[in-house]
Amino acid sequence: KQEVTQIPAALSVPEGENLVLNCSFTDSAIYNLQWFRQDPGKGLTSLLLIQSSQREQTSGRLNASLDKSSGRSTLYIAASQPGDSATYLCACALEYGNKLVFGAGTILRVKS
Amino acid sequence: DVKVTQSSRYLVKRTGEKVFLECVQDMDHENMFWYRQDPGLGLRLIYFSYDVKMKEKGDIPEGYSVSREKKERFSLILESASTNQTSMYLCASRLEDSFNEKLFFGSGTQLSVL
């Protein structure tokens, strides 16, 4: 059974700092991996989607990497801003079955 | 932009009540999903639907049912609400049955069962 873990559970950083959020998964048989952002009391917004054959994806100040063999993905946020404060979730699409498995998320707070 | 609308932002119900959560998407998406989100547990899939009148159980379907009579609307039904169904409920849709397609989420319904 696929398990997705996100570390740390919460992170507080000063504005302007570069930071890395971690996502690990136990079964490397994934189709792709997505990173989502969730603002308090709101739904999820898809940030980046990495196919299993890719190593990374970039969007603006965000860069997501995928190492399928080691079961890890990272989300790098450059020059963090208070507006980046949110919960960030990763989710693996399994190769078998029509299913996404989500991590519990990392709560990020960027202090001004 | 795709819009996924959940009819209620907050709901308070009593134990044993029948509860309907409604979700509507406006982009002719084939796939629709219901998740619940609990602190420390992430999102768990309750039910999903590939197309009209089609449904599949997710990981935690017990105590829930769904209805998809029209393509744009996917309803989650709690047959007899219980306190352990207090949670944030999130609806999502996707253009077609492909993991290359992104999921679009509604804003969620925070349900409290007393």
Side-chain angles (χ1 to χ4, degrees):
Chain A
K1 179 187 172 187
Q2 177 74 279
E3 292 183 4
V4 180
T5 304
Q6 292 188 245
I7 294 173
L11 181 64
S12 183
V13 300
E15 182 178 5
E17 194 164 295
N18 301 326
L19 59 99
V20 174
L21 306 181
N22 297 293
C23 172
S24 61
F25 46 95
T26 55
D27 187 343
S28 62
I30 65 169
Y31 191 76
N32 62 39
L33 186 143
Q34 288 190 60
W35 282 93
F36 294 86
R37 170 186 171 135
Q38 185 177 28
D39 293 291
K42 298 287 182 64
L44 280 68
T45 301
S46 181
L47 296 173
L48 291 164
L49 186 154
I50 314 175
Q51 300 294 352
S52 62
S53 58
Q54 296 175 320
R55 283 286 185 175
E56 63 180 77
Q57 281 284 338
T58 298
S59 175
R61 294 182 294 108
L62 306 180
N63 176 276
S65 68
L66 176 63
D67 184 343
K68 195 177 161 185
S69 60
S70 68
R72 292 180 184 175
S73 177
T74 61
L75 180 66
Y76 174 83
I77 303 177
S80 59
Q81 303 170 358
D84 295 329
S85 298
T87 298
Y88 291 82
L89 297 97
C90 65
C92 298
L94 304 183
E95 282 186 354
Y96 43 91
N98 188 4
K99 189 172 171 175
L100 281 179
V101 180
F102 284 82
T106 294
I107 302 170
L108 173 64
R109 180 183 169 215
V110 181
K111 298 172 289 187
S112 57
Chain B
D1 276 354
V2 174
K3 191 163 185 182
V4 180
T5 303
Q6 294 185 231
S7 55
S8 302
R9 184 69 189 88
Y10 299 98
L11 271 181
V12 180
K13 297 293 181 180
R14 297 213 175 270
T15 302
E17 279 193 72
K18 190 169 186 176
V19 181
F20 293 85
L21 303 183
E22 305 287 346
C23 175
V24 176
Q25 48 91 5
D26 66 356
M27 285 300 291
D28 203 33
H29 283 182
E30 291 184 358
N31 297 176
M32 296 188 75
F33 305 80
W34 274 107
Y35 290 89
R36 65 177 281 177
Q37 184 178 27
D38 300 287
L41 295 179
L43 276 71
R44 293 179 290 168
L45 181 64
I46 305 171
Y47 267 97
F48 60 99
S49 169
Y50 290 110
D51 206 341
V52 177
K53 297 191 185 294
M54 296 179 69
K55 60 186 179 184
E56 294 281 344
K57 292 180 180 179
D59 294 321
I60 51 166
E62 297 79 18
Y64 303 94
S65 62
V66 290
S67 172
R68 193 162 181 206
E69 296 296 319
K70 294 184 178 181
K71 195 171 187 178
E72 67 270 19
R73 186 181 296 270
F74 192 35
S75 303
L76 179 69
I77 303 156
L78 286 66
E79 298 292 342
S80 177
S82 63
T83 54
N84 63 12
Q85 293 179 308
T86 291
S87 186
M88 169 71 92
Y89 289 87
L90 292 165
C91 174
S93 73
R94 184 173 66 192
L95 178 61
E96 60 185 17
D97 190 21
S98 166
F99 280 124
N100 289 322
E101 295 292 334
K102 290 183 178 180
L103 276 179
F104 294 86
F105 281 83
S107 296
T109 296
Q110 180 63 53
L111 173 67
S112 297
V113 183
L114 306 178

